[in-house]
């Protein structure tokens, strides 16, 4: 009995985690390949493994004929009856072959086939194990450095941590234990290649699932992650239960949960943001700790125009634009940030066009389509150009000129001051009330005498009785 072969099969199956039947089939195929290489491809051979004795049995089969044409596949009936008297024509008779007669070269060939088949089976087993673990955290020991990154020993196999998937300013050395996220498992000729990452945004989400039970069981859901690896990250969370505070659950008692995550990421700052279906509310939360004055949503351009107080601009933008960049990634929207002063300056010219259009009784779109986007362009245009492009009469062109001459210095002045200020009322006569205009929208009124609409600042309001009065040119 050849018990050594049987023990070897059992030991390999246990150590490598391979199926025993697969090992037996591999062994039989290897021996069959060696026999064919020695005796030729035309022979009919059968190889079987006897599990009781631990031996490999090889039989060659030939067809019984009267006249032998091919000695490798046929046998004369007289010789066949010497071996088996009951044999008939066209029967198949088997001859045992000794494995020891195969020779050293055939045995070496069988050994190589067995090793290759075992390696392929082991690689397939590893691939099947790790392909379903994409998105999970794995732990390994740094083994060596490759041109593409660090090679990490995961036990049964190796993984690669590429340079682009490493956290900036992190330093590794051989023998260090690291944790990372499995992001890809590729099947290659040399075996499965496992790619891991420490800079991927999903790695932060995986750490939250591991450290926060409410995230793991779905009570608190992570709606999005934006990350600048090694520096700062923003995580949007939402609670599925009214009684559970998503931010408090992620922070933990005295910050114990979030500190474990920060420590694993080597001091990376993490902002926990409350998710909201309302994009303006979500943007306010994402841009914290900056104070937001107003948000204009442009869904067509997927753009948010955010206005902040002048002293909040640095906080809103962040160091090297980090805060607004992470907020834009988290929201999936483009964000433009203006200060209150800049916002007023940007809209002063637009307000001036609106006021001029109101006086001339034309639409702003007509002015823009005619090529007049600023007051300076309207001021430089000739009467013929205004009449041709805007189809205005001479009287309306005169009204337009008066409004332009009045608004041009006012708009220019508003561009040089942060906020319009209300001036002290001028001295008035008894029964007269004058309103001083200081910038912004220009109110217009109609003169009770000449029936022309003029800026309210150029009119005087005479209160003659409690029932009313009139607006008159000064």
């Amino acid at each position: 009995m050849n018990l050594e072969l049987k023990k070897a099969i059992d030991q390999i199956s246990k150590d490598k985690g391979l199926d025993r039947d697969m090992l037996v089939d591999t062994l039989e195929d290897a021996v069959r390949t060696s026999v064919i290489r020695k005796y030729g491809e035309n022979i009919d051979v059968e190889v079987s493994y006897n599990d009781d004795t631990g031996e490999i049995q090889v039989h060659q089969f030939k067809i019984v004929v009267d006249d032998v044409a091919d000695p490798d596949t046929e046998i004369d009936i007289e010789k066949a009856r010497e071996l088996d008297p009951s044999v008939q024509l066209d029967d198949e008779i088997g001859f045992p072959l000794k494995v020891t007669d195969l020779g050293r070269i055939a045995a070496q060939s069988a050994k190589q086939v067995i090793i290759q088949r075992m390696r392929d089976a082991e690689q397939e087993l590893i691939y099947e194990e790790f392909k379903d673990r994409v998105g999970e955290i794995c732990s390994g020991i740094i083994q060596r450095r490759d041109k593409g990154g660090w090679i990490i020993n995961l036990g049964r196999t190796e993984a690669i941590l590429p340079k682009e998937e490493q956290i900036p300013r992190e330093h590794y050395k051989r023998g260090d234990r690291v944790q990372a996220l499995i992001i890809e498992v590729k099947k290659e000729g040399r075996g499965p290649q496992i790619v891991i990452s420490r800079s991927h945004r999903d790695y932060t989400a995986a750490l939250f699932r591991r450290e926060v039970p409410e995230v793991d069981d779905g009570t608190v859901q992570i709606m999005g992650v934006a990350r600048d690896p090694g520096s700062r990250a923003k995580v949007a969370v939402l609670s599925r239960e009214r009684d559970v505070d998503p931010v408090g659950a992620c922070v933990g008692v005295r910050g114990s949960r979030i500190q474990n995550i920060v420590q694993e990421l080597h001091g990376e700052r993490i902002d926990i943001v409350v998710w909201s279906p309302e994009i303006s509310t979500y943007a306010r939360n994402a841009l914290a700790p900056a104070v937001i004055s107003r948000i204009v949503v442009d869904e067509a351009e997927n753009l948010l125009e955010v206005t902040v107080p002048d002293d909040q601009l640095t906080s809103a933008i962040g160091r090297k634009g980090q805060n607004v960049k992470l907020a834009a990634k988290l929201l999936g929207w483009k964000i433009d940030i203006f200060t209150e002063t800049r916002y007023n300056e940007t809209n002063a010219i637009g307000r001036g066009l609106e006021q001029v259009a109101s006086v001339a009784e034309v639409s702003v779109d007509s002015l823009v389509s005619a090529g007049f986007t600023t007051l300076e362009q309207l001021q430089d245009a000739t009467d013929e150009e205004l009449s041709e492009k805007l189809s205005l009469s001479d009287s309306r062109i005169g009204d337009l000129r008066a409004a332009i001459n009045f608004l041009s210095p006012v708009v220019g002045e508003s561009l040089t001051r942060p906020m319009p200020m209300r001036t002290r009322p001028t001295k008035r006569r008894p029964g007269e009330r004058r309103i001083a205009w200081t910038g912004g929208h220009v109110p217009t009124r109609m003169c009770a005498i000449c029936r022309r609409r003029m800026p309210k600042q150029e009119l005087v309001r005479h209160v003659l009785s409690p029932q009313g009065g009139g607006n008159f040119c000064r």
Side-chain angles (χ1 to χ4, degrees):
M1 295 179 65
N2 190 1
L3 298 180
E4 293 183 1
L5 181 58
K6 183 177 180 179
K7 291 180 179 179
I9 293 176
D10 294 338
Q11 188 66 30
I12 293 175
S13 176
K14 181 179 179 181
D15 295 343
K16 301 291 185 179
L18 303 177
D19 184 58
R20 191 176 186 279
D21 295 336
M22 186 275 299
L23 291 176
V24 172
D25 294 340
T26 301
L27 183 61
E28 293 176 352
D29 292 342
V31 174
R32 185 181 297 107
T33 301
S34 300
V35 172
I36 291 175
R37 286 183 179 179
K38 180 174 179 61
Y39 296 103
E41 297 180 355
N42 295 329
I43 65 173
D44 183 9
V45 65
E46 181 179 297
V47 180
S48 61
Y49 173 74
N50 192 329
D51 194 46
D52 295 332
T53 61
E55 295 179 350
I56 297 178
Q57 299 174 353
V58 182
H59 292 84
Q60 180 184 4
F61 288 86
K62 294 183 179 182
I63 300 175
V64 179
V65 294
D66 286 332
D67 187 11
V68 177
D70 186 1
D72 293 335
T73 59
E74 297 175 346
I75 186 174
D76 185 69
I77 187 171
E78 295 180 356
K79 294 183 178 180
R81 286 179 175 175
E82 293 178 359
L83 301 174
D84 186 0
S86 61
V87 72
Q88 301 294 329
L89 288 174
D90 297 330
D91 288 348
E92 287 188 347
I93 185 171
F95 303 91
L97 297 178
K98 294 183 179 180
V99 179
T100 55
D101 295 339
L102 296 178
R104 182 182 61 82
I105 297 178
Q108 187 68 22
S109 176
K111 179 181 177 182
Q112 293 176 356
V113 172
I114 292 173
I115 293 175
Q116 184 62 38
R117 294 285 181 85
M118 288 175 55
R119 184 182 294 112
D120 294 342
E122 186 177 5
Q123 291 175 356
E124 183 67 24
L125 192 63
I126 293 173
Y127 175 77
E128 293 295 330
E129 176 185 351
F130 281 91
K131 73 174 184 178
D132 297 329
R133 293 184 57 187
V134 175
E136 295 183 5
I137 297 176
C138 65
S139 177
I141 298 176
I142 295 179
Q143 198 168 33
R144 65 183 184 277
R145 185 164 192 160
D146 196 4
K147 61 180 181 180
W150 288 96
I151 303 301
I152 313 298
N153 185 6
L154 300 181
R156 295 186 58 187
T157 186
E158 294 179 346
I160 182 171
L161 179 61
K163 295 179 181 178
E164 60 272 14
E165 299 296 340
Q166 300 173 15
I167 296 178
R169 298 178 297 277
E170 266 194 357
H171 302 284
Y172 311 98
K173 61 180 183 294
R174 294 180 180 86
D176 288 349
R177 177 170 291 277
V178 295
Q179 294 183 358
L181 183 75
I182 301 176
I183 59 174
E184 187 179 8
V185 179
K186 296 185 290 186
K187 200 172 186 179
E188 297 185 350
R190 296 178 300 174
Q193 184 179 21
I194 302 171
V195 183
I196 60 178
S197 172
R198 284 183 55 82
S199 62
H200 202 279
R201 64 178 184 179
D202 290 342
Y203 181 46
T204 303
L207 290 174
F208 271 89
R209 287 193 296 269
R210 188 181 69 178
E211 297 292 338
V212 183
E214 290 82 357
V215 175
D216 188 44
D217 61 18
T219 304
V220 175
Q221 185 175 356
I222 295 180
M223 305 301 294
V225 178
R227 187 179 177 200
D228 184 5
S231 180
R232 191 175 180 181
K234 288 182 180 290
V235 181
V237 294
L238 174 67
S239 177
R240 296 298 181 183
E241 296 184 7
R242 182 179 300 178
D243 299 335
V244 177
D245 178 21
V247 178
C250 294
V251 173
V253 180
R254 296 182 181 178
S256 58
R257 295 175 177 176
I258 194 67
Q259 285 300 324
N260 292 337
I261 300 175
V262 171
Q263 184 177 1
E264 172 59 30
L265 297 177
H266 293 177
E268 184 174 315
R269 179 183 173 186
I270 299 177
D271 298 337
I272 302 177
V273 177
V274 178
W275 182 86
S276 174
E278 182 66 31
I279 187 61
S280 58
T281 304
Y282 191 17
R284 289 178 185 273
N285 298 337
L287 288 170
V291 178
I292 308 301
S293 300
R294 68 180 66 86
I295 295 178
V296 179
V297 180
D298 186 355
E299 295 184 355
E301 297 292 336
N302 201 39
L303 174 66
L304 298 177
E305 293 184 354
V306 180
T307 306
V308 299
D310 292 7
D311 59 347
Q312 292 291 314
L313 180 62
T314 303
S315 179
I317 295 178
R319 182 182 179 185
K320 298 181 180 180
Q322 188 181 70
N323 191 53
V324 67
K325 287 180 182 178
L326 291 178
K329 288 182 181 179
L330 190 65
L331 298 173
W333 288 62
K334 294 180 289 185
I335 300 177
D336 288 342
I337 296 183
F338 302 91
T339 61
E340 292 282 1
T341 302
R342 179 60 178 166
Y343 179 82
N344 295 328
E345 292 176 355
T346 304
N347 289 276
I349 297 177
R351 290 195 299 269
L353 285 177
E354 292 178 358
Q355 295 154 9
V356 170
S358 176
V359 171
E361 296 182 359
V362 297
S363 64
V364 178
D365 294 337
S366 300
L367 293 177
V368 175
S369 60
F372 302 114
T373 57
T374 63
L375 292 179
E376 288 77 7
Q377 292 177 347
L378 284 172
Q379 194 172 15
D380 297 338
T382 62
D383 293 347
E384 292 77 9
E385 291 177 348
L386 294 176
S387 176
E388 180 183 353
K389 295 182 178 181
L390 299 177
S391 301
L392 299 178
S393 61
D394 294 340
S395 62
R396 292 175 63 187
I397 291 177
D399 297 341
L400 183 64
R401 290 291 187 188
I404 294 173
N405 293 333
F406 172 74
L407 291 173
S408 293
V410 174
V411 173
E413 181 184 357
S414 66
L415 295 178
T416 60
R417 61 189 179 192
M419 293 292 290
M421 303 295 292
R422 182 172 294 275
T423 61
R424 179 178 298 176
T426 58
K427 186 177 181 180
R428 63 182 184 274
R429 297 185 295 272
E432 174 186 336
R433 185 176 66 185
R434 294 182 60 187
I435 304 298
W437 179 84
T438 60
H441 177 68
V442 178
T444 60
R445 296 289 187 272
M446 182 175 292
C447 178
I449 298 176
C450 64
R451 310 302 297 174
R452 294 175 56 188
R453 297 190 66 87
M454 301 183 65
K456 187 177 178 181
Q457 188 178 9
E458 297 186 0
L459 301 177
V460 177
R461 173 72 172 172
H462 291 276
V463 182
L464 302 178
S465 66
Q467 284 74 26
N471 297 314
F472 302 95
C473 297
R474 284 184 289 178

